[in-house]
């Protein structure tokens, strides 16, 4: 049981920063702002 809790804690410690950063980017609207700015200047992904 102790080993499972240790592995679970390690898993969350590894994945939490990534979840936080994704939530921060999407939450502030920066993704839509960057897409809008790129479209205004004629930049496209090819």
């Amino acid at each position: 049981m102790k080993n499972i809790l240790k592995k679970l804690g390690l898993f969350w410690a590894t994945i939490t920063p990534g979840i936080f950063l994704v939530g921060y980017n999407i939450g502030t609207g920066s993704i839509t702002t960057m897409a809008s700015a790129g479209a205004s200047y004629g930049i496209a992904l090819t």
Side-chain angles (χ1 to χ4, degrees):
M1 182 68 175
K2 209 174 198 183
N3 192 20
I4 292 171
L5 290 176
K6 188 174 182 179
K7 286 183 180 182
L8 188 60
L10 182 60
F11 171 75
W12 282 112
T14 303
I15 213 116
T16 304
I19 292 172
F20 172 76
L21 290 174
V22 167
Y24 181 77
N25 281 334
I26 293 173
T28 60
S30 64
I31 293 174
T32 55
T33 303
M34 288 184 281
S36 175
S40 295
Y41 290 103
I43 298 171
L45 296 175
T46 57

